[in-house]
Amino acid sequence: MFQLHAFVVPETGKEHVMLTLGDLDNGEPVLARVHSECLTGDGLFSQRCDCGAQLETALEMIAAEGRGALLYLRQEGRGIGLLNKIRAYNLQDQGADTVEANEQLGFPADLRRYDLCKPMLDHFGIERLRLMTNNPRKVDALRELGIDVTERIPLQVNRNRYNEGYLRTKAIKLGHLFKGYLVEEE
C-alpha cells in the first residue's frame, strides 16, 4: 500500500506529491522516480510520449521491490504549463520537434527544476537514490543538490510509431539515454 504525501512550495503555492512504500530511512539507497506531471500521458494515455508508461512502470517496479518513492512534480510540459504544451503539440503537428516547438513559443527546451526534491526527500530521511530515469541531466541536477544517486536505472518503455520522433529528439537534443539512438546502453 503506497502512502501519498502532499508538499506545497511556500513562495508559489504550487503543490507536489510523493508516493512512498516501505522503510525508506534505513540508510540503503531508495528505488525512486522523479516524474514531472504530464496530463496527456499520465491521465489521458497519450501515445505521443512515454510519460504515462514510465509512471506506471516505475510504480510497478517500486511495488515489486516493496520499497521506494515516486516524486510527482507539478511542472507540466517540461515546465511550460499545460496550455503552452498544447500549443507546442500544435507546432509539432506542423513539423516542429518537441524542442523546436518550445523554442518557437519563446521557452527553453526544458524549464523543469529539481531543487524541490531535496526537501521532499529530506522529510523522509532519504539521502541515497537508485534513480529510474533516462535523463542524465536529472541525475546531475539531483547530485548538485547533494543527493547521492548511486545508480541510474533505465526506464525505456512504450516506444511506438507515435512517439518515435519525440524519443529521438529527446536523445539527440536533450541527451536522454535510449537504446537504439545516439548512445547504446550496455
Side-chain angles (χ1 to χ4, degrees):
M1 181 76 65
F2 282 88
Q3 298 294 314
L4 180 65
H5 311 271
F7 295 84
V8 178
V9 177
E11 299 81 26
T12 64
K14 191 75 148 180
E15 301 163 330
H16 307 276
V17 297
M18 186 167 166
L19 290 112
T20 61
L21 180 68
D23 180 16
L24 302 178
D25 63 355
N26 66 6
E28 293 296 316
V30 173
L31 181 62
R33 167 103 179 126
V34 174
H35 189 88
S36 295
E37 178 179 37
C38 177
L39 175 66
T40 53
D42 299 343
L44 302 176
F45 316 108
S46 173
Q47 295 300 297
R48 65 192 293 165
C49 67
D50 57 347
C51 303
Q54 286 184 325
L55 176 63
E56 183 177 356
T57 301
L59 289 171
E60 289 170 355
M61 290 173 67
I62 292 168
E65 185 153 309
R67 177 177 181 268
L70 185 129
L71 290 76
Y72 194 87
L73 308 181
R74 306 287 310 285
Q75 44 189 7
E76 179 76 49
R78 281 195 216 110
I80 67 173
L82 182 58
L83 182 59
N84 284 316
K85 177 181 172 179
I86 292 169
R87 290 177 177 138
Y89 273 1
N90 184 49
L91 293 170
Q92 290 169 35
D93 290 344
Q94 297 173 39
D97 67 35
T98 182
V99 170
E100 293 165 348
N102 278 20
E103 291 170 346
Q104 287 176 27
L105 291 171
F107 298 106
D110 194 340
L111 277 173
R112 291 177 294 179
R113 296 178 44 196
Y114 299 103
D115 54 322
L116 53 113
C117 295
K118 179 73 169 140
M120 293 170 79
L121 294 168
D122 286 349
H123 180 78
F124 294 97
I126 299 170
E127 297 177 355
R128 301 167 62 210
L129 299 179
R130 295 172 39 238
L131 188 66
M132 294 178 276
T133 186
N134 303 316
N135 184 351
R137 291 179 186 178
K138 188 183 294 183
V139 173
D140 292 343
L142 294 176
R143 285 180 173 153
E144 287 174 15
L145 294 168
I147 299 163
D148 183 7
V149 179
T150 63
E151 179 183 7
R152 185 191 67 80
I153 300 170
L155 197 57
Q156 187 171 341
V157 293
N158 195 37
R159 185 173 175 177
N160 64 63
R161 66 184 177 138
Y162 303 107
N163 67 18
E164 183 67 31
Y166 168 79
L167 296 176
R168 182 178 296 106
T169 298
K170 283 180 30 172
I172 293 169
K173 292 189 175 181
L174 299 175
H176 289 226
L177 303 173
F178 294 114
K179 288 183 181 179
Y181 294 106
L182 289 180
V183 177
E184 286 290 333
E185 295 271 319
E186 295 182 17

Coordinates of all heavy atoms in Angstrom, one line a residue, residues 56-107:
E56 N 3.7 4.4 -14.8 CA 3.1 3.1 -14.4 C 4.2 2.1 -14.1 O 4.2 1.3 -13.1 CB 2.2 2.6 -15.5 CG 1.5 1.3 -15.2 CD 0.6 0.9 -16.3 OE1 0.4 1.6 -17.3 OE2 0.0 -0.3 -16.2
T57 N 5.2 2.0 -15.0 CA 6.3 1.1 -14.8 C 7.1 1.3 -13.5 O 7.5 0.4 -12.8 CB 7.3 1.1 -16.0 OG1 6.5 0.7 -17.2 CG2 8.4 0.1 -15.9
A58 N 7.4 2.6 -13.2 CA 8.1 3.0 -12.0 C 7.3 2.5 -10.8 O 7.9 1.9 -9.9 CB 8.4 4.5 -12.0
L59 N 6.0 2.7 -10.7 CA 5.2 2.3 -9.6 C 5.2 0.8 -9.5 O 5.3 0.2 -8.4 CB 3.8 2.9 -9.7 CG 3.7 4.4 -9.5 CD1 2.3 4.8 -9.8 CD2 4.1 4.7 -8.0
E60 N 5.2 0.1 -10.6 CA 5.2 -1.4 -10.6 C 6.6 -1.9 -10.0 O 6.6 -2.8 -9.3 CB 5.0 -1.9 -12.0 CG 3.5 -1.8 -12.4 CD 3.4 -2.2 -13.9 OE1 4.4 -2.4 -14.6 OE2 2.2 -2.1 -14.4
M61 N 7.7 -1.2 -10.5 CA 9.0 -1.6 -10.0 C 9.2 -1.4 -8.5 O 9.7 -2.2 -7.8 CB 10.1 -0.9 -10.8 CG 10.2 -1.4 -12.2 SD 11.3 -0.4 -13.3 CE 12.9 -0.8 -12.5
I62 N 8.6 -0.2 -8.0 CA 8.7 0.1 -6.6 C 7.9 -1.0 -5.8 O 8.3 -1.5 -4.8 CB 8.2 1.5 -6.3 CG1 9.2 2.5 -6.9 CG2 8.0 1.7 -4.8 CD1 8.7 3.9 -6.9
A63 N 6.7 -1.3 -6.3 CA 5.8 -2.3 -5.6 C 6.5 -3.6 -5.6 O 6.5 -4.3 -4.6 CB 4.5 -2.3 -6.3
A64 N 7.1 -4.0 -6.7 CA 7.8 -5.3 -6.7 C 8.9 -5.4 -5.7 O 9.2 -6.4 -5.1 CB 8.3 -5.6 -8.1
E65 N 9.6 -4.3 -5.5 CA 10.7 -4.2 -4.6 C 10.2 -4.1 -3.2 O 10.9 -4.4 -2.2 CB 11.7 -3.1 -4.9 CG 12.9 -3.0 -4.1 CD 14.1 -2.4 -4.8 OE1 14.4 -2.8 -5.9 OE2 14.7 -1.5 -4.1
G66 N 9.0 -3.6 -3.0 CA 8.4 -3.4 -1.7 C 8.9 -2.2 -0.9 O 8.7 -2.0 0.3
R67 N 9.6 -1.3 -1.6 CA 10.2 -0.1 -1.0 C 10.6 0.8 -2.1 O 11.2 0.5 -3.1 CB 11.5 -0.6 -0.3 CG 12.3 0.5 0.4 CD 13.5 -0.2 1.1 NE 14.3 0.8 1.8 CZ 15.3 1.4 1.3 NH1 15.7 1.1 0.1 NH2 16.0 2.3 2.0
G68 N 10.3 2.1 -1.9 CA 10.7 3.1 -2.9 C 9.8 4.4 -2.8 O 9.0 4.5 -1.9
A69 N 10.1 5.3 -3.7 CA 9.5 6.6 -3.6 C 9.3 7.1 -5.1 O 10.1 6.9 -5.9 CB 10.3 7.6 -2.8
L70 N 8.1 7.8 -5.3 CA 7.9 8.5 -6.6 C 7.6 9.9 -6.2 O 6.6 10.2 -5.5 CB 6.7 7.8 -7.3 CG 6.6 8.4 -8.7 CD1 6.5 7.4 -9.8 CD2 5.4 9.3 -8.7
L71 N 8.4 10.8 -6.7 CA 8.2 12.2 -6.5 C 7.4 12.7 -7.8 O 8.0 12.6 -8.9 CB 9.5 13.0 -6.3 CG 10.2 12.7 -5.0 CD1 10.9 11.4 -5.0 CD2 11.2 13.8 -4.8
Y72 N 6.2 13.2 -7.6 CA 5.4 13.7 -8.7 C 5.4 15.2 -8.7 O 4.8 15.8 -7.8 CB 4.0 13.1 -8.6 CG 3.2 13.3 -9.9 CD1 3.3 12.3 -10.9 CD2 2.4 14.4 -10.1 CE1 2.5 12.4 -12.1 CE2 1.7 14.5 -11.3 CZ 1.8 13.5 -12.3 OH 1.0 13.7 -13.4
L73 N 6.2 15.8 -9.6 CA 6.4 17.2 -9.6 C 5.4 17.9 -10.6 O 5.3 17.5 -11.8 CB 7.8 17.6 -10.0 CG 8.9 16.9 -9.2 CD1 10.3 17.3 -9.6 CD2 8.7 17.1 -7.7
R74 N 4.7 18.9 -10.2 CA 3.7 19.6 -11.0 C 4.4 20.6 -11.9 O 4.3 21.8 -11.7 CB 2.7 20.3 -10.1 CG 2.0 19.4 -9.0 CD 1.0 18.4 -9.6 NE 0.1 19.1 -10.5 CZ -0.9 19.9 -10.0 NH1 -1.1 20.1 -8.7 NH2 -1.8 20.5 -10.9
Q75 N 5.1 20.1 -12.9 CA 5.8 21.0 -13.9 C 5.5 20.5 -15.3 O 6.4 19.9 -16.0 CB 7.2 21.2 -13.6 CG 8.0 20.0 -13.2 CD 9.4 20.3 -12.7 OE1 9.8 21.4 -12.5 NE2 10.2 19.2 -12.5
E76 N 4.3 20.6 -15.7 CA 3.7 20.1 -16.9 C 4.5 20.7 -18.1 O 5.0 21.8 -18.1 CB 2.3 20.6 -17.1 CG 1.6 20.2 -18.3 CD 1.1 18.7 -18.4 OE1 0.6 18.2 -17.4 OE2 1.4 18.1 -19.4
G77 N 4.7 19.8 -19.2 CA 5.3 20.2 -20.4 C 6.7 20.7 -20.3 O 7.0 21.7 -20.9
R78 N 7.5 20.0 -19.6 CA 8.9 20.4 -19.3 C 8.9 21.8 -18.7 O 9.8 22.6 -18.9 CB 9.8 20.3 -20.5 CG 10.2 18.9 -20.8 CD 11.4 18.9 -21.8 NE 11.2 17.7 -22.6 CZ 10.9 17.8 -23.9 NH1 10.7 18.9 -24.5 NH2 10.7 16.7 -24.6
G79 N 7.9 22.1 -17.9 CA 7.9 23.4 -17.1 C 7.2 24.5 -17.8 O 7.1 25.6 -17.3
I80 N 6.6 24.3 -19.0 CA 6.0 25.4 -19.7 C 4.5 25.5 -19.5 O 3.8 26.5 -19.9 CB 6.2 25.4 -21.3 CG1 5.5 24.2 -21.9 CG2 7.7 25.5 -21.5 CD1 5.6 24.2 -23.5
G81 N 3.9 24.6 -18.8 CA 2.5 24.6 -18.4 C 1.6 23.9 -19.5 O 2.0 23.7 -20.6
L82 N 0.4 23.5 -19.1 CA -0.5 22.7 -19.9 C -0.9 23.5 -21.2 O -0.8 22.9 -22.3 CB -1.7 22.3 -19.1 CG -2.7 21.4 -19.9 CD1 -2.1 20.2 -20.4 CD2 -3.9 21.1 -19.0
L83 N -1.3 24.7 -21.0 CA -1.8 25.5 -22.2 C -0.6 25.6 -23.3 O -0.9 25.4 -24.4 CB -2.3 26.9 -21.8 CG -2.8 27.7 -22.9 CD1 -4.0 27.1 -23.7 CD2 -3.3 29.1 -22.4
N84 N 0.6 25.9 -22.8 CA 1.7 26.1 -23.7 C 2.1 24.7 -24.3 O 2.5 24.6 -25.4 CB 2.9 26.8 -23.1 CG 2.6 28.3 -23.0 OD1 2.1 28.9 -23.9 ND2 2.9 28.8 -21.8
K85 N 1.9 23.7 -23.5 CA 2.2 22.3 -24.0 C 1.3 22.0 -25.2 O 1.7 21.4 -26.2 CB 2.1 21.3 -22.9 CG 2.3 19.9 -23.4 CD 2.1 18.9 -22.2 CE 2.2 17.5 -22.6 NZ 2.0 16.6 -21.4
I86 N 0.0 22.3 -25.0 CA -1.0 22.1 -26.1 C -0.6 22.9 -27.3 O -0.7 22.4 -28.5 CB -2.4 22.3 -25.6 CG1 -2.8 21.3 -24.6 CG2 -3.4 22.3 -26.8 CD1 -4.0 21.5 -23.8
R87 N -0.1 24.2 -27.1 CA 0.3 25.0 -28.2 C 1.5 24.3 -28.9 O 1.7 24.3 -30.1 CB 0.7 26.4 -27.7 CG -0.5 27.2 -27.4 CD -0.1 28.6 -26.8 NE -1.2 29.4 -26.5 CZ -1.3 30.1 -25.4 NH1 -0.3 30.2 -24.6 NH2 -2.4 30.8 -25.2
A88 N 2.4 23.8 -28.1 CA 3.6 23.1 -28.6 C 3.2 21.8 -29.4 O 3.8 21.5 -30.5 CB 4.6 22.7 -27.5
Y89 N 2.2 21.1 -29.0 CA 1.7 20.0 -29.7 C 1.2 20.4 -31.1 O 1.5 19.8 -32.1 CB 0.5 19.3 -29.0 CG 0.8 18.3 -28.0 CD1 2.1 17.9 -27.7 CD2 -0.2 17.6 -27.3 CE1 2.4 17.0 -26.7 CE2 0.0 16.7 -26.4 CZ 1.3 16.3 -26.1 OH 1.6 15.4 -25.1
N90 N 0.5 21.6 -31.2 CA 0.1 22.1 -32.5 C 1.3 22.4 -33.4 O 1.2 22.0 -34.6 CB -0.8 23.4 -32.3 CG -1.3 23.9 -33.6 OD1 -1.9 23.1 -34.3 ND2 -1.2 25.2 -33.8
L91 N 2.3 23.0 -32.9 CA 3.5 23.2 -33.7 C 4.2 21.9 -34.1 O 4.7 21.8 -35.2 CB 4.5 24.1 -32.9 CG 4.0 25.5 -32.6 CD1 5.0 26.2 -31.6 CD2 4.0 26.3 -33.9
Q92 N 4.2 20.9 -33.2 CA 4.7 19.6 -33.6 C 3.9 19.0 -34.7 O 4.5 18.3 -35.6 CB 4.7 18.7 -32.4 CG 5.7 19.1 -31.3 CD 5.6 18.3 -30.0 OE1 5.2 17.2 -30.0 NE2 5.8 19.0 -28.9
D93 N 2.6 19.2 -34.7 CA 1.8 18.6 -35.7 C 2.1 19.3 -37.1 O 1.8 18.8 -38.1 CB 0.3 18.8 -35.4 CG -0.2 17.9 -34.3 OD1 0.5 16.9 -34.0 OD2 -1.3 18.2 -33.7
Q94 N 2.7 20.5 -37.0 CA 3.0 21.2 -38.2 C 4.5 21.0 -38.6 O 5.0 21.6 -39.6 CB 2.9 22.7 -38.0 CG 1.4 23.1 -37.8 CD 1.3 24.6 -37.4 OE1 2.0 25.5 -37.9 NE2 0.4 24.9 -36.4
G95 N 5.2 20.1 -37.9 CA 6.5 19.7 -38.3 C 7.6 20.0 -37.4 O 8.8 19.5 -37.5
A96 N 7.4 20.8 -36.3 CA 8.5 21.1 -35.4 C 8.7 19.8 -34.5 O 7.7 19.1 -34.2 CB 8.1 22.3 -34.5
D97 N 9.9 19.7 -34.0 CA 10.1 18.6 -33.0 C 9.8 19.2 -31.6 O 9.5 20.4 -31.5 CB 11.5 18.0 -33.0 CG 12.6 18.9 -32.7 OD1 12.5 19.8 -31.8 OD2 13.7 18.8 -33.3
T98 N 9.8 18.4 -30.5 CA 9.4 18.9 -29.2 C 10.3 20.1 -28.7 O 9.8 21.0 -28.1 CB 9.4 17.7 -28.2 OG1 9.0 18.2 -27.0 CG2 10.8 17.1 -28.1
V99 N 11.6 20.1 -29.0 CA 12.5 21.2 -28.6 C 12.2 22.4 -29.4 O 12.0 23.5 -28.9 CB 14.0 20.7 -28.7 CG1 14.9 21.9 -28.6 CG2 14.3 19.6 -27.7
E100 N 12.1 22.3 -30.7 CA 11.8 23.4 -31.6 C 10.5 24.1 -31.2 O 10.4 25.3 -31.3 CB 11.8 23.0 -33.1 CG 13.1 22.5 -33.6 CD 13.0 21.7 -34.9 OE1 11.9 21.3 -35.3 OE2 14.1 21.5 -35.5
A101 N 9.5 23.2 -30.9 CA 8.2 23.8 -30.6 C 8.3 24.7 -29.3 O 7.7 25.8 -29.3 CB 7.2 22.7 -30.3
N102 N 9.0 24.2 -28.3 CA 9.1 25.0 -27.1 C 9.8 26.3 -27.4 O 9.5 27.4 -27.0 CB 9.9 24.3 -26.0 CG 9.0 23.3 -25.2 OD1 8.0 22.9 -25.6 ND2 9.5 22.9 -24.1
E103 N 10.9 26.2 -28.2 CA 11.7 27.4 -28.6 C 10.8 28.4 -29.4 O 11.0 29.6 -29.2 CB 13.0 27.0 -29.3 CG 13.9 26.3 -28.3 CD 15.1 25.6 -29.0 OE1 15.1 25.5 -30.3 OE2 16.1 25.3 -28.3
Q104 N 10.0 27.9 -30.3 CA 9.2 28.8 -31.1 C 8.1 29.5 -30.3 O 7.7 30.6 -30.6 CB 8.4 28.0 -32.2 CG 9.3 27.5 -33.3 CD 8.6 26.6 -34.4 OE1 7.4 26.7 -34.5 NE2 9.4 25.8 -35.0
L105 N 7.8 28.9 -29.1 CA 6.9 29.6 -28.2 C 7.6 30.5 -27.2 O 7.0 31.2 -26.4 CB 6.1 28.5 -27.4 CG 5.1 27.7 -28.1 CD1 4.6 26.6 -27.3 CD2 4.0 28.6 -28.6
G106 N 9.0 30.6 -27.4 CA 9.8 31.5 -26.6 C 10.3 30.9 -25.3 O 10.7 31.7 -24.4
F107 N 10.3 29.6 -25.2 CA 10.8 28.9 -24.0 C 12.1 28.2 -24.3 O 12.3 27.7 -25.4 CB 9.7 27.9 -23.5 CG 8.4 28.5 -23.1 CD1 7.3 28.4 -23.9 CD2 8.3 29.3 -21.9 CE1 6.1 29.0 -23.5 CE2 7.1 29.8 -21.5 CZ 6.0 29.7 -22.3

